[in-house]
Amino acid sequence: MHSTDTAAAADALATLVSYRTVSSRSPGGTDEAEFEAFLAALPGLFPGVYAAMDVERVNGRALLFRWAGVPRTSSPTDNTAPATTGTAGGLEGPAVLMAHYDVVPAGDEAAWTHPPFSGHNDGTHLWGRGTLDDKGQLAVILSAAEALLAEGFAPARDVYFSFGDNEETAGDSAAAAAALLAERGVRPALVLDEGGAVAGGAFPGVTRPAAVVGVAEKGILDVELLTRDPGGHASTPPRMGATARLARAITRIENHPFPQHLPDVTAEMLRRFGPHAPLPLRLAFARVERLRRPLTWLFGRLGGETNAMTRTTVAITTLRGSAGANVLAATAAANANIRVAVGETVAGTVERLRRIIRDPKVELRVVEGNEPSPVSASYGPAWELLTECIGTAYPEAIVTPYIMMGGTDSRRFTGICEAVYRFAPFAMDRADRASIHAVDEKISLDALGRGVRFYETLLRKL
Ligand SMILES: [Zn+2]
């Protein structure tokens, strides 16, 4: 990697940040022209990539690049034949590198230190919405490819770049890209998307940064709770009207958290942190198998984040009752936003919710539900390859698998690939992580440079 690659990536990212590619759930809520301008800017920023690869639009505004592989092992005369598979490192099949270029709204723009769509470079950081989530990843993938192409490099296997335009609204572009690859018989050996990062201060007492790689993600489920009542005037209320019944159901949910267990992936994470943790924890983590029950119990009480690692969680997010201050509610409704633990199911979760509420007059309706993802292995060739590349860019980091609490586009690829990983090669401290979806999102130039190095290493080793 040359420092010029870092500078080029920073310049490209500054331009990409300047487009207001804010995704929205409401029809007409997105600024089409900004998305088109973003797409129009890419060939000028990455001319080598556009000259060397097939680029197509998927589902409207998502992009799918195909970089044809040239097999290394065959005789020179075979080198012109496009490869559909590579065999380096025991991996069979192409690789898919993912990112998304839509962003969440900037919120109160006046509250930002530098304007959110300025791409301001202050010499150490590049500022703006999307620098970490997730235009930064798109920029370093393309910058790494551009730098390698300038050297005349071609990968040993087909490599795809799949860039989404509606990840933040859980849109369908990634599903369309996965379906397109499936239709063409493409079975990737590796899919890499956003998710984990190189986190400083992630674990109490552990001074070394942790490269946390998402090997699975929880399911996301919205369930509407609905109660009905004849309604009428508020001066003559019935016992247990619609709102009281709904409130009782919510209280029961609150009082009956879902059962806890420590997933194997989390146990593995503790084992890997173990040697680097301060003394009492070091001993506990080395014996995680025998101490599973007390550790699980402890996780449930340490705080919201560790609690969410051990169980399906339910948050009541919206409430609706009567429209008038003196009118009884004919219907009352609440939305339960549920994150389904890996290993459990949407149907099983709704069933348990019914048992917890134990009131047939509370109607439950699944608004939208995604099953938790399968778990990718934290061993084997794809995992080892990632570990090696992380080591090149962040030699001091502890590499560990983890289960993501949020969702990513990559869950759409679990049907065509067993090795789906969620990781951005960027160092993020606590403040950086807090700036995602908030004000003052920014990425350090050092992290950008290491990100380019990570993808250059990965593309060379594939
Ligand atoms: Zn994202």
Side-chain angles (χ1 to χ4, degrees):
M1 208 242 347
H2 312 286
S3 57
T4 48
D5 299 350
T6 308
D11 287 347
L13 180 55
T15 304
L16 299 179
V17 165
S18 70
Y19 300 102
R20 295 172 176 254
T21 51
V22 179
S23 56
S24 165
R25 279 175 203 270
S26 59
T30 55
D31 191 335
E32 305 281 334
E34 292 286 328
F35 280 78
E36 288 303 331
F38 177 97
L39 294 173
L42 286 173
L45 295 170
F46 305 101
V49 167
Y50 273 79
M53 301 184 196
D54 307 321
V55 187
E56 61 188 309
R57 288 172 72 139
V58 177
N59 199 38
R61 294 184 306 232
L63 291 177
L64 185 65
F65 295 69
R66 178 174 164 272
W67 193 356
V70 179
R72 296 292 194 267
T73 48
S74 41
S75 63
T77 48
D78 286 335
N79 272 355
T80 49
T84 52
T85 61
T87 53
L91 278 182
E92 294 279 351
V96 181
L97 306 182
M98 298 176 65
H100 66 88
Y101 71 92
D102 61 313
V103 296
V104 296
D108 177 9
E109 297 198 13
W112 286 66
T113 307
H114 300 286
F117 298 101
S118 63
H120 176 75
N121 184 336
D122 67 7
T124 62
H125 287 83
L126 195 91
W127 294 69
R129 174 60 80 230
T131 47
L132 291 172
D133 181 14
D134 187 34
K135 288 177 176 175
Q137 190 151 8
L138 182 147
V140 294
I141 291 171
L142 290 176
S143 297
E146 188 77 11
L148 290 176
L149 281 165
E151 295 174 13
F153 173 87
R157 70 186 70 225
D158 281 6
V159 177
Y160 292 87
F161 302 154
S162 179
F163 297 147
D165 63 310
N166 54 18
E167 192 277 340
E168 296 294 359
T169 49
D172 52 0
S173 287
L180 191 62
L181 291 180
E183 192 185 296
R184 293 174 184 168
V186 176
R187 296 281 307 181
L190 168 72
V191 171
L192 181 62
D193 195 9
E194 63 171 340
V198 182
F203 209 86
V206 177
T207 49
R208 283 172 61 177
V212 294
V213 180
V215 293
E217 52 195 77
K218 289 175 101 171
I220 304 178
L221 168 63
D222 279 310
V223 176
E224 187 190 54
L225 280 53
L226 185 80
T227 54
R228 299 174 198 274
D229 195 65
H233 199 273
S235 60
T236 55
R239 281 183 60 81
M240 200 49 78
T243 48
R245 188 175 293 282
L246 181 67
R248 187 174 71 176
I250 293 170
T251 309
R252 284 180 176 165
I253 293 169
E254 201 69 16
N255 290 339
H256 296 86
F258 275 57
Q260 259 193 313
H261 74 122
L262 199 67
D264 290 339
V265 171
T266 310
E268 176 67 26
M269 183 179 82
L270 295 181
R271 255 193 301 275
R272 289 181 191 235
F273 274 131
H276 312 283
L279 199 55
L281 285 179
R282 192 187 313 166
L283 298 177
F285 292 173
R287 291 165 187 74
V288 59
E289 274 318 321
R290 270 191 290 155
L291 297 176
R292 238 174 144 117
R293 288 175 81 119
L295 281 171
T296 308
W297 180 88
L298 185 68
F299 264 55
R301 275 146 194 87
L302 276 179
E305 216 164 276
T306 49
N307 176 53
M309 289 181 185
T310 63
R311 55 163 52 109
T312 295
T313 58
V314 185
I316 302 296
T317 49
T318 62
L319 284 171
R320 188 158 47 78
S322 156
N326 61 351
V327 179
L328 291 174
T331 60
N335 183 77
N337 184 259
I338 302 171
R339 305 303 167 113
V340 184
V342 168
E344 294 174 13
T345 62
V346 166
T349 301
V350 174
E351 208 29 63
R352 179 176 288 275
L353 210 54
R354 230 182 267 287
R355 287 204 304 276
I356 291 171
I357 294 171
R358 58 172 207 285
D359 181 347
K361 289 189 172 166
V362 178
E363 300 166 30
L364 298 188
R365 184 175 69 88
V366 172
V367 181
E368 201 178 0
N370 281 303
E371 300 290 347
S373 76
V375 182
S376 300
S378 41
Y379 54 84
W383 175 265
E384 294 306 328
L385 176 64
L386 278 185
T387 304
E388 230 183 296
C389 297
I390 293 168
T392 309
Y394 295 92
E396 69 286 7
I398 306 162
V399 182
T400 173
Y402 87 118
I403 295 175
M404 284 193 63
M405 304 296 131
T408 69
D409 270 347
S410 71
R411 70 176 176 279
R412 316 288 191 183
F413 284 73
T414 53
I416 58 168
C417 179
E418 285 175 10
V420 175
Y421 297 102
R422 301 146 183 95
F423 173 76
F426 299 138
M428 298 184 198
D429 62 21
R430 244 168 222 291
D432 293 332
R433 297 200 292 280
S435 76
I436 293 174
H437 291 206
V439 297
D440 281 351
E441 184 179 349
K442 60 183 180 303
I443 189 167
S444 78
L445 299 183
D446 179 62
L448 265 186
R450 291 180 194 241
V452 176
R453 189 182 315 160
F454 170 86
Y455 281 110
E456 284 183 2
T457 311
L458 179 60
L459 287 164
R460 279 186 205 280
K461 286 184 187 289
L462 270 170

